[in-house]
Amino acid sequence: MVSILTTPLVENPLRFGLRMRRTPNPCILVLFGVTGDLAHRKLLPAIYNLYVERRLPANFSIVGFARRALSDDDMRNDLKASVEKYARNKPSHRPGVWDSFAEGLFYVQSNFDDPEGYKKLAARLSEIDQQRATLGNRLFYLSTPPEFYSMIVQQMGAAGLANTRPISSTDVPISTNGTGPLNGAFVPLPETDMSWRRIVVEKPFGHDLASAQQLNRQISEVFTEEQIYRIDHYLGKETVQNILVFRFANGIWEPIWSRRYVDSVQIIVAESLGVEDRASYYDTSGALRDMLQNHMMQLLALVAMEPPSSFDAQSVRDEKAKVLRSIKPFTPVEVAQNVIRGQYGPGAILGQPVPGYRHEQNVPPDSDTETYVAARFFIDNWRWSGVPFYLRHGKRLPKRVTEIAIQFRPAPLALFQHTAADELQPNVLVLHIQPDEGISIKFESKLPGQDIRLRSVDMNFNYGSSFGIETSDAYERLLWDAMVGDSTLFTRRDEVELMWMITTSILEGWQRVPPPTFPNYRAGSWGPSVADEFIARDGRQWRRV
Ligand code: BG6
């Protein structure tokens, strides 16, 4: 094994360094669905880490908004327990820090469809502005079940919460479909220098193309596109951001990053976990919607995009959208040729028996929801024409691993064909996203000795050992970016719709044929055998990870 010595960590003054030094303006985070799992496991721990590490203003405040009857103190106590459990920085380590953080936590109880609740919220926010000088800045976060998204946004619009100035009688109402005014008189206003309002929307963003388009329309009646932050937590992962740095801060990759040198690309997101306690959501979603439509399509776009003209939100997202636009939706026949689905049956993970999907809690015993998907995409542009991108994801696979492997074409001449070396292994560049974060390159090397005998070796860069710092959680980066108004790592409207256009064509193809006989892979195996046969037909095989 060859390892790479890294130069000492120097802050990149161009982008990342400058971003690190900024502190967001004072603001209130309004968390719809504060009692839910995401808020407890991810959002509050991330916020608290930012707070402890002094990346938030001292008067930063949170208003939780949910249906349960709680007092401010009840919410503080509940959140404290979760932060203690899930955050890097524990309240018990520095109780004084938690206490000052908790002074900025408030709760508003309301049903999501109750206009009075939003008035109460507006009044509470103004009070907090007065008490804590939060300057009218608001970051709204939709972390409720998705069926409430449009209702909440509409209610916010009607209560004037999205605007940085009150609605005036001269504002012109806008319409849902361009044919007439809406009931509520609200107008999306651009952010002003004085104060800002932004909204973060959690996934799933729609259920298919039509519902995603509808949600986009509904949100855009209340917020401008600049105010909308569609979150994809994969984009907040350190190693995912490094894809861009790796590709565009180094000159050596660009010339070989194309169909001339690349044979194929494999993106795998394997999980050893099953559906846990999320079956009621997962069974209506499935692997395609849950992972491929969003996280994996984003990984593909980052790997395949052209260099942007600069690292601002518009340029980066323009290039990602261009890649997604170059993937043609499948016809039903193409779905059968290019996409495989699977569902796990009983098996074992790390020697422990685990039930099949249909026996998980809250899963119907005849469910045809897929827990595995493998697909082959082609990007119809000059750089990638003819290069297959294989995407593979499944639950209850043998281990948790996410990586992107770029396999290069073989050397043009097999010079060593009369030696033991005539079975040359291809060069593979692997971007290891998680859990062993790093980058490796596989190449052939001569074994020491008289004969020409070859062996594949790996050149490795490893985040942990090179930088010696723990990478922060994706939600920390993304929440902070939303507070400073940087939407580069959030998904734009056209991207979301393009990703759904591709995935909806798969869903439609599946609807036309009876589902495969499920279960078709054993928990703890690498997926259904049809997936192996599928890639073998191309003369390739799945990478061993
Ligand atoms: C979520 C999916 O978006 O991502 C989950 O809904 C999945 O099903 C999770 O387990 C994986 O995220 P990570 O960061 O653990 O790879």
Side-chain angles (χ1 to χ4, degrees):
M1 180 184 292
V2 187
S3 49
I4 298 174
L5 283 179
T6 44
T7 46
L9 176 59
V10 183
E11 262 194 6
N12 176 351
L14 287 179
R15 177 166 189 260
F16 296 102
L18 282 179
R19 286 156 44 113
M20 296 294 284
R21 281 194 290 274
R22 283 165 62 194
T23 307
N25 294 332
C27 63
I28 307 176
L29 171 67
V30 181
L31 213 47
F32 293 97
V34 69
T35 51
D37 203 48
L38 183 77
H40 280 254
R41 277 173 188 259
K42 291 287 182 188
L43 303 181
L44 258 296
I47 291 284
Y48 189 62
N49 283 333
L50 288 172
Y51 185 81
V52 172
E53 290 161 20
R54 294 173 186 271
R55 307 213 21 229
L56 297 182
N59 49 357
F60 174 80
S61 309
I62 297 180
V63 174
F65 186 99
R67 292 169 288 183
R68 283 196 0 221
L70 295 178
S71 67
D72 287 348
D73 279 339
D74 292 338
M75 185 189 83
R76 289 173 184 149
N77 291 336
D78 289 354
L79 292 177
K80 185 178 182 182
S82 299
V83 171
E84 186 70 34
K85 191 160 167 198
Y86 298 112
R88 208 172 40 250
N89 295 289
K90 312 281 179 202
S92 60
H93 292 172
R94 294 161 75 189
V97 176
W98 170 265
D99 291 345
S100 59
F101 176 74
E103 279 171 19
L105 303 183
F106 308 94
Y107 185 70
V108 171
Q109 186 271 328
S110 171
N111 282 335
F112 295 130
D113 60 353
D114 179 4
E116 292 308 311
Y118 295 80
K119 287 188 195 148
K120 211 161 59 177
L121 174 64
R124 194 67 186 270
L125 292 173
S126 305
E127 267 166 38
I128 299 170
D129 278 343
Q130 298 300 318
Q131 288 162 6
R132 295 177 58 85
T134 34
L135 307 179
N137 295 325
R138 322 258 187 264
L139 183 65
F140 299 103
Y141 199 117
L142 296 184
S143 124
T144 62
E147 58 269 26
F148 295 114
Y149 289 176
S150 47
M151 177 195 291
I152 293 173
V153 170
Q154 207 186 8
Q155 293 285 355
M156 286 167 68
L161 284 162
N163 298 328
T164 51
R165 67 173 167 80
I167 302 163
S168 100
S169 55
T170 54
D171 284 338
V172 185
I174 57 156
S175 65
T176 330
N177 50 16
T179 56
L182 282 173
N183 301 338
F186 44 81
V187 181
L189 297 176
E191 289 182 3
T192 68
D193 290 340
M194 302 298 288
S195 64
W196 51 261
R197 307 281 158 95
R198 300 179 191 132
I199 183 163
V200 181
V201 188
E202 256 302 330
K203 72 169 273 252
F205 196 95
H207 195 67
D208 54 16
L209 177 59
S211 56
Q213 285 172 326
Q214 189 186 18
L215 184 57
N216 270 330
R217 271 196 305 273
Q218 287 165 333
I219 300 179
S220 68
E221 282 160 10
V222 179
F223 291 93
T224 61
E225 181 61 26
E226 291 69 37
Q227 290 176 290
I228 305 170
Y229 289 67
R230 297 173 195 80
I231 200 163
D232 181 316
H233 80 277
Y234 265 58
L235 294 179
K237 289 181 190 279
E238 202 68 53
T239 37
V240 171
Q241 293 166 56
N242 197 38
I243 298 171
L244 294 180
V245 175
F246 177 78
R247 287 193 57 199
F248 303 130
N250 296 295
I252 60 173
W253 310 118
E254 166 57 25
I256 58 168
W257 211 260
S258 74
R259 62 191 301 276
R260 288 183 65 136
Y261 296 97
V262 174
D263 166 82
S264 57
V265 176
Q266 286 192 25
I267 302 180
I268 180 170
V269 181
E271 294 187 288
S272 56
L273 290 178
V275 286
E276 309 288 280
D277 50 6
R278 300 165 67 228
S280 47
Y281 149 73
Y282 193 86
D283 200 60
T284 60
S285 164
L288 180 76
R289 290 184 172 100
D290 186 48
M291 295 294 290
L292 192 136
Q293 182 272 335
N294 38 67
H295 309 319
M296 297 184 76
M297 281 284 167
Q298 284 291 322
L299 293 181
L300 181 151
L302 292 174
V303 171
M305 67 189 256
E306 295 298 315
S309 54
S310 81
F311 262 115
D312 58 52
Q314 176 167 341
S315 312
V316 170
R317 298 190 299 179
D318 282 350
E319 296 306 335
K320 282 196 292 164
K322 266 161 64 183
V323 172
L324 296 167
R325 209 167 287 125
S326 309
I327 300 176
K328 301 282 171 293
F330 292 125
T331 63
V333 172
E334 288 166 342
V335 172
Q337 293 163 344
N338 290 283
V339 191
I340 300 291
R341 54 185 155 155
Q343 185 195 77
Y344 63 84
I349 301 279
L350 293 174
Q352 294 301 314
V354 294
Y357 177 71
R358 289 175 175 181
H359 295 104
E360 301 271 18
Q361 205 188 347
N362 294 330
V363 174
D366 56 351
S367 169
D368 281 326
T369 300
E370 81 287 353
T371 60
Y372 175 99
V373 61
R376 180 182 63 174
F377 294 103
F378 288 98
I379 300 172
D380 292 340
N381 64 17
W382 274 51
R383 186 183 287 269
W384 294 116
S385 178
V387 178
F389 282 69
Y390 298 98
L391 272 53
R392 181 170 50 135
H393 159 69
K395 295 222 180 265
R396 286 289 190 223
L397 299 185
K399 61 177 174 179
R400 175 173 185 250
V401 58
T402 299
E403 58 177 49
I404 301 169
I406 294 123
Q407 180 170 321
F408 290 89
R409 293 184 188 284
L413 279 179
L415 288 182
F416 308 104
Q417 60 196 357
H418 299 302
T419 71
D422 54 0
E423 292 271 308
L424 291 183
Q425 295 297 313
N427 299 123
V428 186
L429 171 70
V430 185
L431 306 171
H432 302 269
I433 307 293
Q434 61 187 21
D436 300 320
E437 296 145 335
I439 295 171
S440 66
I441 302 176
K442 184 199 277 290
F443 57 92
E444 294 295 280
S445 172
K446 181 181 171 301
L447 272 176
Q450 293 291 319
D451 302 334
I452 302 263
R453 287 194 299 138
L454 307 194
R455 166 86 53 89
S456 290
V457 292
D458 280 317
M459 196 150 68
N460 283 326
F461 151 72
N462 177 281
Y463 258 81
S465 54
S466 300
F467 296 133
I469 41 176
E470 209 183 324
T471 56
S472 59
D473 183 79
Y475 277 100
E476 290 172 41
R477 153 72 63 186
L478 295 174
L479 279 160
W480 189 85
D481 276 7
M483 283 181 227
V484 297
D486 185 344
S487 55
T488 314
L489 300 176
F490 293 82
T491 319
R492 206 169 55 187
R493 178 177 186 155
D494 51 348
E495 289 180 80
V496 162
E497 294 186 5
L498 287 162
M499 293 188 295
W500 271 121
M501 197 180 291
I502 300 161
T503 9
T504 302
S505 74
I506 299 176
L507 292 167
E508 286 170 356
W510 282 353
Q511 270 160 17
R512 300 233 187 156
V513 291
T517 310
F518 284 158
N520 60 354
Y521 72 99
R522 197 171 35 80
S525 72
W526 280 108
S529 54
V530 275
D532 300 333
E533 292 152 20
F534 158 70
I535 194 166
R537 282 198 288 278
D538 287 356
R540 300 188 178 88
Q541 54 189 6
W542 296 118
R543 244 179 73 71
R544 277 220 210 125
V545 291

